[in-house]
Amino acid sequence: MFARFVSMRLKSGSLTEFDRILDKEVIPLLQRQKGFPAGNRPNEPERGEAVGISIWEQKENAESYNREKFPEVQQLLTKVLDGTPQVKTYEVSHSTIYKLTAHVTA
């Protein structure tokens, strides 16, 4: 499994619109991607920061998303971001994501 961490700086006063864009446009796009079992987005509104964390079954799934869909996501978020998102990808050696997914669907 692989994890993508996307750190973003939000424009002042844009958290509500950022959340709306994620909920209505970005997350549904992610859910349609091959190899995407889960993600989350911790926010630090007082500092104007947000982090998107997505988990991918295979490195190829994360790379395909980065190439084919992430530019679209960046475009959707342009009006609420201050600067360019910073992306880091990590190999996940241990995870409970499959246990959580199996428990929720059982």
Side-chain angles (χ1 to χ4, degrees):
M1 285 195 328
F2 288 82
R4 288 180 82 248
F5 287 73
V6 182
S7 59
M8 300 162 274
R9 179 155 275 317
L10 304 177
K11 291 181 181 176
S12 179
S14 67
L15 182 60
T16 300
E17 179 64 4
F18 174 76
D19 285 341
R20 186 198 68 74
I21 293 168
L22 284 179
D23 290 341
K24 301 292 184 190
E25 300 181 58
V26 175
I27 292 174
L29 185 146
L30 279 166
Q31 290 172 329
R32 293 190 299 269
Q33 301 308 299
K34 180 178 180 180
F36 173 76
N40 60 50
R41 60 180 159 84
N43 294 333
E44 184 64 46
E46 296 82 27
R47 296 191 336 215
E49 296 176 5
V51 176
I53 304 169
S54 56
I55 305 297
W56 299 87
E57 292 174 351
Q58 298 178 6
K59 183 177 183 179
E60 294 78 19
N61 300 137
E63 290 172 344
S64 176
Y65 166 76
N66 194 59
R67 248 187 345 270
E68 298 171 14
K69 295 297 180 181
F70 189 61
E72 182 180 340
V73 169
Q74 285 182 283
Q75 186 62 38
L76 289 168
L77 294 171
T78 298
K79 62 184 171 184
V80 296
L81 296 183
D82 184 12
T84 304
Q86 302 301 308
V87 179
K88 293 183 180 182
T89 305
Y90 300 91
E91 185 170 353
V92 177
S93 59
H94 300 300
S95 175
T96 60
I97 191 72
Y98 288 110
K99 292 177 186 175
L100 291 174
T101 302
H103 178 70
V104 170
T105 59

